[in-house]
Amino acid sequence: MELPQLEDLPDPSGRNVLVRADYNVPLVDGRITDDLRIRATLPTLTWLLDHGAARVTVCTHLGRPKGKADPRYDLAPVRARLGELLAGAGADAARVTLADNLRFDPGEEANDPAFVDRLVEGQDLYVDDAFGAAHRAHASIVGPPQHLPSAAGRVLAREVEVLSSLLEAPARPFVAVLGGSKVSDKLGLLESLAERVDTLVVGGGMCFTFLAARGHRTGASLLEPDQVDACRRLLASGKTVLLPTDLTVLAPGGTFGPGNPPTGEVRQVGADVPDGWSGLDIGPGTAAEFADAIEAAATVLWNGPMGVFEDERFAAGTRTVAEAVAATRGFSVVGGGDSASALAAFGLAGRVDHLSTGGGASLELLEHGDLPGLAALRAAAARQRA
Ligand code: 3PG
Ligand code: MG
């Protein structure tokens, strides 16, 4: 996919540049727990500064404050971290400003033209480096390219290059490993990947709907009864689909998850879950089978944890898969969101070929092959050429 690059912009020297970033970072008690999305934009920002930009105004959303100022989503910690990172990179941080949280204004999500006008006022160029938000047709994403010469920043360009390569010409065998809680969230992606991959590996909460489609008992595990037919169709599609053959389960009444003490008996069972028990991780045999498939792959895409990895009793499956993704000699791509957090939690974030900064955006790009933010940049480039 051809996107306009920084080099395609008019000379930034002496100009004001508006940069859309995605600094929607995880915060706990006002502290940033993972600054990947901020660090990732440094090459774009330093390129603009090195090329003489007079002022770089970075804008981002944080959280979902619903169109009004909300102190929980104040950008102060982000602003501080960005300043530190710029200084650490030897950049002239004084020329960079981080604007207020875009979503404090209802015009952002509504894609209000009046809000777009305010964003582009006084700006000469626009750079979109917000890959994680490129699936949102919001004012700051699709508006400025209609008014200013525009380009993709380095984060956006690299994400699109890598993810498009999975759609166009992946080295084979291509193995996709999907987890996470819901089939319904990922059905479109599953169907689209089933056409392209050699093996689809399914774990996480969503494996129980697949296991039910194969006639297994799922006990009190997560199950989406209205998705069983869709899973049955996928299983009948002739693709190799690997499902768990053993599971780690929690006894009836046992507790887990944030704010709960870890109580209850934990057992290993086969692919059938006893009545009242809940499957919360893939079992060790399954984890080893999944790891073998991952290590034999030439291309691996991983999205979604294999179990409730935040609870140490149910972390082993996700850890084994994460280690295999880190160890494989194949080209490894990890979708953002929970799988990125899992990798970071296991200290493996630097060990994959591409760790996406976009959760939803990476999945939508893989499913649909395009995103509103990318289409807006291509339209701007076509206008600039005309
Ligand atoms: C994300 O973190 O997924 C992106 O920043 C998009 O955020 P949103 O889902 O609130 O639009
Ligand atoms: Mg999201």
Side-chain angles (χ1 to χ4, degrees):
M1 183 185 300
E2 288 288 310
L3 291 176
Q5 305 292 312
L6 293 177
E7 288 76 5
D8 299 321
L9 286 172
D11 183 1
S13 181
R15 313 271 191 127
N16 293 333
V17 187
L18 176 66
V19 176
R20 177 46 157 112
D22 182 351
Y23 294 162
N24 188 25
V25 291
L27 286 170
V28 175
D29 301 328
R31 280 191 24 260
I32 298 170
T33 54
D34 182 2
D35 65 0
L36 172 68
R37 284 177 163 184
I38 308 176
R39 266 184 295 120
T41 62
L42 287 180
T44 297
L45 300 179
T46 54
W47 188 94
L48 290 168
L49 295 170
D50 291 347
H51 284 75
R55 173 142 300 282
V56 176
T57 304
V58 187
C59 59
T60 181
H61 72 284
L62 177 67
R64 294 179 173 170
K66 306 244 158 57
K68 50 180 185 335
D70 181 334
R72 287 174 301 166
Y73 303 115
D74 190 279
L75 283 172
V78 175
R79 196 168 281 120
R81 187 75 191 118
L82 176 62
E84 284 164 17
L85 289 167
L86 285 167
D92 178 9
R95 279 187 283 151
V96 180
T97 312
L98 182 63
D100 267 351
N101 189 338
L102 289 160
R103 290 187 186 169
F104 284 176
D105 193 304
E108 166 65 354
E109 292 186 68
N111 188 17
D112 176 355
F115 185 64
V116 175
D117 287 344
R118 290 218 298 284
L119 288 174
V120 301
E121 201 192 317
Q123 304 293 346
D124 302 304
L125 306 172
Y126 172 73
V127 172
D128 185 354
D129 218 11
F131 175 71
H135 56 320
R136 306 287 182 222
H138 293 171
S140 63
I141 311 273
V142 296
Q146 298 173 29
H147 298 273
L148 300 173
S150 298
R154 299 296 193 228
V155 173
L156 185 76
R158 177 70 183 151
E159 291 272 10
V160 172
E161 179 186 315
V162 170
L163 296 169
S164 307
S165 78
L166 297 188
L167 298 176
E168 283 151 19
R172 295 194 179 276
F174 178 10
V175 175
V177 184
L178 294 185
S181 47
K182 286 185 171 171
V183 177
S184 48
D185 283 351
K186 293 190 184 164
L187 186 62
L189 177 71
L190 282 160
E191 285 170 340
S192 138
L193 283 176
E195 309 267 306
R196 304 171 194 279
V197 303
D198 299 290
T199 305
L200 202 54
V201 175
V202 180
M206 69 183 193
C207 78
F208 298 101
T209 306
F210 278 90
L211 288 170
R214 273 208 181 140
H216 290 286
R217 289 158 52 208
T218 56
S221 311
L222 273 181
L223 179 71
E224 289 175 276
D226 57 340
Q227 301 293 324
V228 172
D229 282 342
C231 291
R232 201 172 280 132
R233 278 196 301 278
L234 267 166
L235 290 170
S237 70
K239 278 290 159 184
T240 307
V241 180
L242 291 185
L243 294 181
T245 51
D246 64 348
L247 297 160
T248 301
V249 298
L250 178 65
T255 54
F256 66 98
N260 291 319
T263 68
E265 187 191 342
V266 173
R267 261 190 217 168
Q268 313 290 339
V269 297
D272 288 287
V273 180
D275 283 351
W277 290 65
S278 302
L280 295 177
D281 193 11
I282 58 174
T286 301
E289 283 165 33
F290 287 7
D292 285 347
I294 292 163
E295 282 172 32
T299 307
V300 180
L301 168 68
W302 175 35
N303 183 281
M306 297 292 105
V308 185
F309 72 93
E310 299 85 349
D311 184 324
E312 190 48 44
R313 300 171 298 166
F314 308 109
T318 303
R319 183 182 284 114
T320 300
V321 162
E323 283 167 351
V325 173
T328 185
R329 284 161 56 208
F331 184 71
S332 52
V333 178
V334 177
D338 290 341
S339 1
S341 319
L343 265 189
F346 302 138
L348 298 168
R351 301 264 311 279
V352 298
D353 292 300
H354 183 74
L355 175 55
S356 180
T357 55
S362 61
L363 301 186
E364 286 200 29
L365 180 56
L366 289 167
E367 180 178 344
H368 303 295
D370 203 2
L371 299 172
L374 311 184
L377 288 176
R378 290 198 310 273
R383 254 195 322 276
Q384 282 156 232
R385 279 194 301 270

